Amino acid sequence: ADYTGALRPQIHYSPPRGFMNDPNGMFVDAEGVYHLYYQYNPTDTVAGNQHWGHATSRNLYTWENQPIAIYPGAEGEAIFSGSSVIDVNNTSGFFPNQTNGVVAFYTLNTAEEQTQDVAYSTDGGYTFTKYVNNPVISINSTQFRDPKVIWYPLTQQWVMVVAYAQEFTIGFFTSPNLTTWTHASNFSRHGLLGLQYECPNLLQMPMLSNVSIENPLGESNVASSDMFILYISINPGAPLGGSIGEYFPGTFNGTHFSPVDQAARIADFGKDNYAAQFFYGIPATSPQISIAWASNWQYTQVVPTGQLEGFRSAMSLPRYNALANTTRGDYTLVSLPYDLSPLYSSTSSLANSSALANSSLLYDYSSTAPSGAVTFNMSITSIPLANVTGTANFTFMSSVTGESIRGGFFLGGDTPFWIDRGYIRGFENPFFTDKFSTNSLIDTDTQTFRLQVVIDRSILEVFLENGLRSATTTFFAEGMLDTLVISTRELNPGVQVSAEVFGLNSAWT
Ligand code: FRU
């Protein structure tokens, strides 16, 4: 496949051609190979004709495209979203002679019904056989989909969450053997409802002891906990329009989920992060790894990558996740990029605080990062932080067309942070919202505002305050962005600013 196009992400997963939406079936095997399946239309650049596409990786950035894993059968069938598990102990009976059997759960979509179906793989997840007694759950509904299965050790049972989409309900089912499922409870009408609940995830989450330190997801700072999250995607009807993810921290006893409170916690303050899924097979004591679809149903089928480069949609960065309690809210999902260091091609020397305070620095990365993929970190420190004023902005621009995508802090008070993709010209659409914002969480321990940005040709992801806030934003420029400008203005005396930039190698060459 050709991954050289000017809009083609170089460190994010995108399909070789055709249309992709939700990540599906994600698991890591005993050899450390991550398997990503995805909603895939191999024959057109719009949604429809859903298969499960497949790719594998050892580092979550360098992907190898694999043959399509699950095909629709009869005319009019589609293989909708779902999940997979490794049935090490052969609870299903599909795997008499092996410990690496994979069982996939998907929604079979037809005009008459959505049912939950099973397929199993004896070759580690490359090829699948549909279970002869499908469906495994059928309730005579056309709006019942997206099964996600986990193992719950305390009851020695499998647990499935699945969406009764238009009833704003997540159903919990249990099973001893992956094919016989018993309804256990419902979680209904919590948080933002939008017009449908889709793609639920249930998982145990570790907690961070201190979210303010340099590497908060480092091993010594991550403690196992009894907390779970229920993560729900809603579409359409998100606050900014279209698709969004929200999550509920709470406890789970094997049959019932109890949220800690009634708050709606939004996972990402951009508009291009939907249907996130968490990998099966990551120990509950470690940061959990997720990937989301970096798009939005409001405009995904008309973005210019389709006409120009023959594919639509990419996945978000793989993210590490854990929960943290903060002064502004308990059980906040902390998300940071999975280890990017294998891709580093260069380091710059922007880390000079005296040069960065109240000035602008321009960094042309056209030669150090010809991939167009760059990550940079910035931190702003002042004692006490509460007194800081001024602005700290970044601009990625094209030296050829003058287009740019920008963001920054208004320091002081609630310290709003904004992103603006409105100076990019390659895609005009009324739903392609220009501006996004959030408030920062003042980090009273380290007296620091932190920002990490990853840009990759047509995707920008920002992580604030060590991942307490994050946003995924696509953009479709006419010219390749090649220059980063960092500028700070009207900072009060004593404010320290530091920044580092790393060029990233393409993972597709
Ligand atoms: C979410 C979704 C799922 C469904 C799939 C179909 O984006 O609508 O609910 O299974 O996409 O492609």
Side-chain angles (χ1 to χ4, degrees):
D2 178 3
Y3 278 79
T4 59
L7 299 173
R8 179 70 95 157
Q10 299 295 296
I11 65 160
H12 290 78
Y13 182 75
S14 60
R17 65 192 70 77
F19 183 86
M20 177 181 80
N21 53 294
D22 316 351
N24 292 156
M26 289 162 32
F27 72 94
V28 58
D29 71 20
E31 268 81 58
V33 176
Y34 292 87
H35 290 254
L36 166 67
Y37 306 85
Y38 52 89
Q39 284 292 282
Y40 188 36
N41 182 352
T43 55
D44 203 348
T45 50
V46 292
N49 185 29
Q50 285 87 351
H51 297 57
W52 274 27
H54 183 204
T56 52
S57 176
R58 285 185 172 274
N59 66 10
L60 292 166
Y61 292 103
T62 314
W63 293 97
E64 205 174 313
N65 282 313
Q66 301 291 347
I68 288 173
I70 307 182
Y71 286 80
E75 183 74 27
E77 280 186 12
I79 307 296
F80 271 19
S81 286
S83 58
S84 24
V85 301
I86 308 178
D87 188 14
V88 179
N89 296 319
N90 189 29
T91 62
S92 61
F94 295 140
F95 311 110
N97 301 312
Q98 61 183 121
T99 54
N100 68 338
V102 180
V103 179
F105 306 85
Y106 58 91
T107 298
L108 183 71
N109 183 75
T110 64
E112 292 75 42
E113 203 183 351
Q114 290 184 338
T115 58
Q116 312 325 317
D117 287 34
V118 160
Y120 58 94
S121 171
T122 56
D123 64 1
Y126 294 88
T127 61
F128 285 84
T129 304
K130 290 176 185 166
Y131 176 47
V132 285
N133 293 323
N134 276 333
V136 296
I137 310 180
S138 153
I139 59 161
N140 192 25
S141 166
T142 58
Q143 299 294 337
F144 177 52
R145 60 183 177 272
D146 308 338
K148 170 70 172 151
V149 176
I150 61 169
W151 173 248
Y152 188 70
L154 295 183
T155 53
Q156 295 284 299
Q157 296 244 310
W158 300 100
V159 176
M160 178 193 289
V161 284
V162 56
Y164 301 84
Q166 298 183 352
E167 294 162 49
F168 311 108
T169 295
I170 302 303
F172 290 71
F173 290 75
T174 59
S175 174
N177 62 7
L178 297 171
T179 50
T180 314
W181 290 93
T182 306
H183 181 260
S185 69
N186 280 335
F187 177 88
S188 292
R189 294 182 176 266
H190 285 267
L192 297 172
L193 304 182
L195 297 182
Q196 297 183 106
Y197 275 3
E198 298 184 320
C199 300
N201 280 243
L202 173 73
L203 71 157
Q204 199 175 341
M205 271 286 171
M207 296 273 313
L208 301 180
S209 328
N210 178 355
V211 72
S212 307
I213 62 175
E214 196 67 50
N215 176 19
L217 290 168
E219 218 171 288
S220 58
N221 195 42
V222 179
S224 64
S225 116
D226 293 338
M227 292 301 294
F228 274 69
I229 66 166
L230 179 62
Y231 192 109
I232 301 176
S233 290
I234 61 173
N235 177 75
L240 295 168
S243 326
I244 206 167
E246 65 181 322
Y247 63 96
F248 303 90
T251 52
F252 182 65
N253 65 6
T255 55
H256 290 73
F257 179 79
S258 308
V260 293
D261 57 29
Q262 295 302 320
R265 292 167 171 82
I266 292 177
D268 184 294
F269 69 93
K271 209 175 161 173
D272 296 292
N273 192 290
Y274 192 62
Q277 190 173 89
F278 291 81
F279 275 93
Y280 181 87
I282 311 283
T285 49
S286 303
Q288 298 297 299
I289 302 173
S290 65
I291 293 178
W293 176 45
S295 195
N296 189 305
W297 280 115
Q298 276 190 326
Y299 44 74
T300 189
Q301 306 193 75
V302 290
V303 296
T305 56
Q307 310 84 284
L308 297 176
E309 300 183 17
F311 78 99
R312 282 205 173 101
S313 305
M315 294 302 180
S316 74
L317 289 174
R319 292 183 180 188
Y320 268 135
N321 303 272
L323 292 172
N325 290 331
T326 74
T327 50
R328 297 266 204 108
D330 284 348
Y331 305 115
T332 301
L333 186 61
V334 177
S335 293
L336 285 170
Y338 186 79
D339 183 15
L340 279 161
S341 60
L343 300 174
Y344 286 177
S345 68
S346 63
T347 321
S348 88
S349 55
L350 294 182
N352 181 326
S353 55
S354 53
L356 270 167
N358 292 317
S359 66
S360 288
L361 259 174
L362 187 142
Y363 175 62
D364 171 352
Y365 55 87
S366 53
S367 57
T368 48
S371 64
V374 164
T375 181
F376 94 91
N377 308 304
M378 173 159 71
S379 59
I380 301 161
T381 307
S382 164
I383 298 176
L385 194 66
N387 292 348
V388 73
T389 57
T391 60
N393 296 344
F394 70 86
T395 303
F396 285 95
M397 61 180 222
S398 165
S399 60
V400 179
T401 62
E403 292 164 287
S404 64
I405 186 165
R406 311 171 182 184
F409 293 104
F410 284 100
L411 301 163
D414 276 347
T415 301
F417 178 88
W418 57 277
I419 300 171
D420 190 348
R421 61 181 174 184
Y423 299 89
I424 297 284
R425 290 197 298 267
F427 180 49
E428 291 289 332
N429 184 285
F431 302 109
F432 200 60
T433 315
D434 280 353
K435 295 180 179 62
F436 306 96
S437 65
T438 188
N439 289 335
S440 293
L441 299 166
I442 292 183
D443 174 350
T444 44
D445 294 342
T446 56
Q447 307 295 338
T448 301
F449 287 110
R450 289 179 210 270
L451 169 66
Q452 179 175 4
V453 179
V454 179
I455 193 163
D456 182 15
R457 294 200 181 187
S458 54
I459 303 184
L460 177 88
E461 287 177 63
V462 304
F463 302 86
L464 305 181
E465 309 316 311
N466 270 341
L468 288 171
R469 296 283 181 269
S470 54
T472 308
T473 299
T474 56
F475 61 95
F476 304 98
E478 289 176 344
M480 274 258 268
L481 308 191
D482 54 15
T483 304
L484 168 62
V485 179
I486 298 174
S487 64
T488 65
R489 294 277 177 268
E490 292 169 35
L491 299 181
N492 43 339
V495 177
Q496 308 277 310
V497 181
S498 64
E500 312 175 275
V501 184
F502 300 88
L504 300 170
N505 288 318
S506 171
W508 288 102
T509 48

